[in-house]
Amino acid sequence: MIIRHTTLTDLETVMSIYAHARQFMAEHGNPKQWGPRNWPPEALIRQDIAQQKSYVCTEDDEIAAVFYFDQGDDIDPTYRRIDDGSWKDSSAYGVVHRIAASHTVKGAGAFCINWAYEQCRHLRMDTHGDNIVMQNLLQKLGFEYCGIIYVTEDNDPRLAYERIK
């Protein structure tokens, strides 16, 4: 598998993967994370692409997954407040958001998260409390649960995870 920046020519496929992800989450007990808001909106994905923070994972030139990745100091304002726990480390970190797989290539999601971790060795992620699939994947990949954070998109708290070398 190969990770590369998302391009505008990928947009139709990427939005189709997000639509599939919303359906998959709803069918697996997690209808609220992205479904009610039709998340993520195309305008946001276009912005991610323009800022070169959107990535796709490909195999044989087919897009298997898409995700947002950024790294630096205090890059995610929603991570400044964490309840019922704390972050393990306050140094610069990377974040993965809006990760979704096409389910055509086994292990594409894990490949993307591991790639992001290799870029910075300090990665933070969050997921909805109903997203058991992502919680299990993060634990399998060595992430530790740290507490509760809150996103601006809705009122549902998110479970915060961190992995540090």
Side-chain angles (χ1 to χ4, degrees):
M1 287 185 268
I2 297 170
I3 303 289
R4 65 167 172 79
H5 285 285
T6 309
T7 66
L8 286 175
T9 58
D10 299 322
L11 190 59
E12 184 177 338
T13 301
V14 164
M15 296 312 295
S16 176
I17 290 172
Y18 282 128
H20 174 76
R22 285 189 295 274
Q23 180 181 350
F24 178 87
M25 285 193 280
E27 291 171 355
H28 290 85
N30 183 22
K32 295 189 333 181
Q33 185 171 353
W34 287 357
R37 297 176 329 280
N38 204 32
W39 190 260
E42 184 176 317
L44 179 60
I45 301 309
R46 286 179 178 275
Q47 178 182 314
D48 293 349
I49 292 169
Q51 294 174 346
Q52 294 202 331
K53 295 179 182 177
S54 179
Y55 294 83
V56 291
C57 172
T58 65
E59 183 163 274
D60 298 328
D61 294 324
E62 296 291 324
I63 297 176
V66 59
F67 64 101
Y68 170 96
F69 173 72
D70 195 11
Q71 61 181 324
D73 289 312
D74 194 29
I75 55 172
D76 191 329
T78 60
Y79 288 172
R80 291 180 188 147
R81 173 185 168 197
I82 185 166
D83 292 345
D84 298 327
S86 64
W87 296 113
K88 307 292 182 198
D89 189 306
S90 61
S91 65
Y93 59 90
V95 294
V96 171
H97 292 308
R98 300 186 278 286
I99 186 165
S102 67
H103 295 277
T104 58
V105 178
K106 185 170 175 54
F111 186 86
C112 295
I113 294 169
N114 283 328
W115 176 89
Y117 178 73
E118 290 297 320
Q119 308 310 302
C120 63
R121 297 294 189 175
H122 181 189
L123 197 58
R124 292 179 179 175
M125 292 182 67
D126 64 87
T127 193
H128 195 279
D130 292 338
N131 195 338
I132 303 302
V133 173
M134 181 58 73
Q135 291 171 47
N136 289 338
L137 177 59
L138 292 174
Q139 291 170 1
K140 177 182 167 186
L141 296 177
F143 282 77
E144 293 181 54
Y145 172 77
C146 294
I148 304 291
I149 61 104
Y150 301 88
V151 296
T152 57
E153 293 83 32
D154 61 40
N155 294 320
D156 288 338
R158 298 296 195 270
L159 305 178
Y161 292 85
E162 188 170 37
R163 182 178 174 196
I164 306 166
K165 181 174 177 156

